[in-house]
Amino acid sequence: MYRITLLFGGKAVRKFNFEQEAVCIGRDADCEVLIDNIGVSRRHATIEKANGEYILTDLKSHNGTFVHGERIYHHQLNDGDEFFIGKYSIQFENLDVEVNEPAPPPAELATAGMQDMTFRLDKGEIEKIMGASTTGLVPKLSLLAPQKEQETWSLEGPYFLIGSDPAAAVRIKGFLMPACVAMLVKDDTSFHVVSLSKKKPVLVKGEKVAAHQLGDGEEFKVGNKMFRFATS
């Protein structure tokens, strides 16, 4: 037996207790866990019990299923795990056994903004973006201001969390800086910056943006931090 809790914006929306071997999560009315949101596929993911373990499987959904910030296709669920579908986070509790040492991700990484993500991941995106670059050039992100904090990061993966969390790929400090304030997401040809915080939104040329495609040399600001994106 297990319980899953559906959360939106960090607040519990509904709890489900299951004893059956398999349940489906999605937008279709036949799903045991119905999430009526356009960012969720009709049959998005399943949880199945096999050999005493609970397995989360993504059903080739359009926007993906994420665990610990990584897109997954199959994942063995542990008690206390949290995964993300669209703008919703889902907490898993194994009620069969008592787990003494749960291993959650860093404290605020999941709840501090990933449920607010609105970007779209294309089908097959992971395979494409993890392949070798045709140019051999590695895009970079530089922190320009404040001057004493200047730093540069190489962008060699599909996405990069920006924030104060120790697990963020681009870690920035600052008073009341959210754990996850923004994210860089790569598609087939370009990078997009996605705002994850209402308190400290991403600004491009002084304007708030939810998501913005970055051009070579383009700058954006988060709080008092000024960044510049470069393709090489």
Side-chain angles (χ1 to χ4, degrees):
M1 183 175 180
Y2 62 96
R3 177 185 298 124
I4 62 174
T5 302
L6 183 67
L7 301 99
F8 182 83
K11 296 182 179 180
V13 175
R14 190 175 177 186
K15 293 187 177 183
F16 305 82
N17 287 352
F18 292 110
E19 294 184 354
Q20 61 218 68
E21 295 293 314
V23 301
C24 186
I25 304 169
R27 192 158 44 92
D28 194 281
D30 293 334
C31 292
E32 286 79 9
V33 180
L34 174 63
I35 304 179
D36 187 12
N37 184 274
I38 195 170
V40 179
S41 297
R42 291 189 179 278
R43 294 181 63 83
H44 197 107
T46 60
I47 297 176
E48 297 180 89
K49 188 175 183 179
N51 299 321
E53 304 292 347
Y54 292 99
I55 307 299
L56 172 67
T57 300
D58 182 83
L59 300 177
K60 297 182 180 179
S61 64
H62 191 81
N63 286 335
T65 302
F66 292 81
V67 178
H68 299 178
E70 296 184 1
R71 188 172 186 171
I72 61 94
Y73 297 97
H74 298 282
H75 174 78
Q76 181 179 315
L77 288 167
N78 296 309
D79 183 58
D81 269 357
E82 187 170 22
F83 58 96
F84 300 86
I85 291 178
K87 295 184 178 181
Y88 291 81
S89 61
I90 300 172
Q91 292 179 344
F92 174 83
E93 297 175 76
N94 186 348
L95 304 181
D96 291 338
V97 296
E98 181 178 351
V99 178
N100 295 323
E101 295 183 5
E108 296 177 311
L109 180 59
T111 59
M114 288 193 68
Q115 63 267 31
D116 295 329
M117 291 190 292
T118 57
F119 65 90
R120 182 176 294 275
L121 296 174
D122 296 329
K123 185 179 181 180
E125 171 255 8
I126 293 295
E127 290 80 2
K128 293 179 181 178
I129 60 183
M130 292 303 289
S133 170
T134 57
T135 63
L137 300 177
V138 178
K140 292 180 174 56
L141 182 70
S142 298
L143 177 60
L144 304 179
Q147 187 173 3
K148 63 181 180 179
E149 299 179 19
Q150 288 182 351
E151 189 173 355
T152 298
W153 298 267
S154 294
L155 307 177
E156 297 181 341
Y159 57 87
F160 301 84
L161 287 171
I162 303 173
S164 62
D165 194 284
V170 179
R171 189 182 182 191
I172 54 175
K173 300 178 181 180
F175 182 66
L176 297 181
M177 179 62 65
C180 295
V181 70
M183 174 178 270
L184 291 181
V185 181
K186 184 181 179 184
D187 61 19
D188 290 340
T189 60
S190 59
F191 270 91
H192 300 256
V193 60
V194 180
S195 181
L196 300 179
S197 173
K198 294 181 179 180
K199 294 181 179 180
K200 291 187 181 294
V202 174
L203 302 179
V204 177
K205 296 180 181 179
E207 298 291 332
K208 296 180 182 179
V209 298
H212 176 78
Q213 181 176 328
L214 292 166
D216 185 29
E218 192 163 18
E219 298 178 356
F220 64 92
K221 191 174 184 181
V222 178
N224 68 334
K225 316 292 185 183
M226 178 64 73
F227 294 91
R228 176 184 293 152
F229 170 79
T231 55
S232 61

